[in-house]
Amino acid sequence: MTAQPESHSATKTGAAATVSETLRSDPIVRVSAVILCVIAVTAALDIGQVIFAPVCLSIVVGTIFAPPVERLSRLGVPGWLSAGGMVLLFIVFILTAGAAFVVPLSDWLDRLPLIWSRLQAQLISWQGFFSSVASLQEDLRNAVGQKGGMQVSVEDNSAVESVFYFAPAFVAQVILFLASFYFFLLTGPHLRRAALQLSSDGEGRRSIVTAFRTIESRLSTYLISISLINAGLGAAVALSMWLLGVPSPLLWGMMACVLNYVVYLGPAIMVLLMSAVGLATGNTPLAILTPPLTYLALNLIEAQFVTPTVLGRTMTLNPFLVFLAIAFWIWLWGPIGGFVAVPLLLVVGTVLEIMNDPAHASPSVAAHSDTLSNS
């Protein structure tokens, strides 16, 4: 009676060994398994966006506030008090920044009809060019035998109905973000100690702590450096708009600072905004183009000279990979994805670097790893 379960267990073990051997020996099976895993993870992240997106954002933002919380804990401040204070400080900062946006932004929203009318006036001067393009398009249609006339259907969706539909989900995401932010700051050291239990030997524990500390150090350095750079860019944009006589220069400086967190896409949106500002305030082609060209010059200096100098080679990422990461995460999670794309890419790059060369951590990180692993 006991031989049957043993044979069944042996069969399962043999099947598992066969699958493992197949994965190791056959590259096609291995690549197929990786592709299926990527598709499954992407689908899970998409389906669970309401949960995963705010939690991931809280971890990225919490990395900036984690070092002050740890310093306060070493001074004897209770963890719940320091974490709660950082969350409260973050809320006050967001509310203050939002209040600074509201008044000038509402004023510019009132100017939208003027901007639209000026844009139409500028397009009239291009009417001949557009007529030529339309004529060429019609000739091409006739040449390939297609009928003209694009049909556009407009669905009647009430704005109030949309607000009532999205408001509960947005409030739930905000609450989830703040709760995750608080508990991440409160339990950060406990998470690292729990990770140490994954390995029993000293070398493995040291590698785990080194990975945690290197990722935390690089991510914190990157986010703080980028925040300071974006603040400097915002100040430069605000000062330039003030010197050019553009209304609400502080608003455009803050917009430049916030949008610059989303690499590539943020500056492109800012150029469009500055072009709309030029249309609203300028009366000549030069006056219309001056605000966007000024912003482009400042952004070029920041992107090509300031950021590489401040971050250095250790933070330098492949521009093509950055572009793909931003496109992927914006497609997956929208604006939140655009914010977390580069930090997540930096984390993945750091993990791969540590896996290839575990001794690559900086001396300060390695020293702290030894201290924590021995404790």
Side-chain angles (χ1 to χ4, degrees):
M1 298 295 291
T2 58
Q4 185 176 357
E6 290 178 358
S7 62
H8 182 66
S9 177
T11 303
K12 292 173 62 177
T13 304
T18 303
V19 172
S20 178
E21 183 65 26
T22 303
L23 288 174
R24 284 198 299 266
S25 60
D26 193 339
I28 297 178
V29 175
R30 189 163 59 248
V31 172
S32 301
V34 171
I35 293 175
L36 290 176
C37 288
V38 170
I39 294 175
V41 170
T42 303
L45 291 175
D46 187 23
I47 295 172
Q49 174 184 351
V50 178
I51 296 176
F52 293 135
V55 171
C56 184
L57 181 63
S58 69
I59 294 174
V60 172
V61 176
T63 306
I64 302 178
F65 294 86
V69 170
E70 290 187 4
R71 293 190 186 96
L72 290 174
S73 299
R74 294 192 193 103
L75 295 176
V77 179
W80 64 268
L81 182 59
S82 57
M86 291 299 168
V87 173
L88 183 61
L89 181 64
F90 179 77
I91 294 174
V92 170
F93 172 76
I94 293 299
L95 292 179
T96 303
F101 268 107
V102 168
V103 176
L105 193 59
S106 61
D107 180 51
W108 279 95
L109 289 176
D110 294 336
R111 299 190 189 190
L112 284 180
L114 173 63
I115 296 174
W116 176 243
S117 63
R118 292 204 172 191
L119 178 60
Q120 288 177 316
Q122 291 295 324
L123 291 177
I124 289 176
S125 62
W126 290 76
Q127 188 172 8
F129 173 76
F130 288 127
S131 299
S132 302
V133 173
S135 176
L136 178 61
Q137 184 180 13
E138 187 64 29
D139 293 339
L140 290 174
R141 272 206 201 101
N142 294 332
V144 298
Q146 291 183 355
K147 294 182 179 181
M150 182 187 300
Q151 295 183 356
V152 179
S153 61
V154 180
E155 297 182 0
D156 185 15
N157 260 338
S158 171
V160 176
E161 183 179 321
S162 300
V163 169
F164 275 104
Y165 178 77
F166 287 109
F170 176 75
V171 172
Q173 285 186 312
V174 171
I175 294 175
L176 182 58
F177 166 77
L178 293 176
S180 303
F181 185 32
Y182 171 76
F183 285 111
F184 175 77
L185 294 177
L186 181 64
T187 63
H190 302 286
L191 292 175
R192 284 192 291 272
R193 294 192 193 98
L196 290 177
Q197 306 304 319
L198 298 175
S199 178
S200 57
D201 60 294
E203 187 64 30
R205 292 162 64 90
R206 187 176 292 104
S207 298
I208 292 174
V209 179
T210 300
F212 265 95
R213 283 298 174 180
T214 304
I215 292 173
E216 185 181 74
S217 175
R218 288 190 178 180
L219 193 57
S220 177
T221 301
Y222 170 80
L223 292 173
I224 293 174
S225 300
I226 286 297
S227 298
L228 294 176
I229 291 171
N230 291 348
L233 176 64
V237 170
L239 179 61
S240 301
M241 295 302 117
W242 178 71
L243 293 175
L244 292 174
V246 176
S248 309
L250 183 60
L251 172 65
W252 308 123
M254 294 176 63
M255 291 288 286
C257 175
V258 173
L259 290 175
N260 207 52
Y261 280 100
V262 184
V263 186
Y264 302 141
L265 184 61
I269 295 175
M270 194 63 195
V271 170
L272 293 178
L273 291 176
M274 289 290 96
S275 300
V277 170
L279 285 171
T281 58
N283 296 317
T284 63
L286 180 60
I288 292 173
L289 293 175
T290 297
L293 291 178
T294 302
Y295 170 76
L296 276 176
L298 293 174
N299 182 260
L300 180 65
I301 295 172
E302 174 268 322
Q304 300 299 323
F305 300 101
V306 178
T307 299
T309 302
V310 172
L311 293 181
R313 291 186 177 181
T314 57
M315 299 289 179
T316 302
L317 299 171
N318 189 300
F320 181 63
L321 293 179
V322 171
F323 174 77
L324 290 180
I326 291 173
F328 172 77
W329 287 106
I330 287 180
W331 166 75
L332 195 64
W333 285 351
I336 296 179
F339 180 80
V340 303
V342 177
L344 290 179
L345 183 61
L346 182 63
V347 170
V348 172
T350 303
V351 170
L352 293 177
E353 182 180 335
I354 293 174
M355 289 174 62
N356 293 330
D357 186 10
H360 187 71
S362 62
S364 59
V365 173
H368 194 92
S369 303
D370 293 335
T371 302
L372 188 57
S373 61
N374 293 329
S375 58

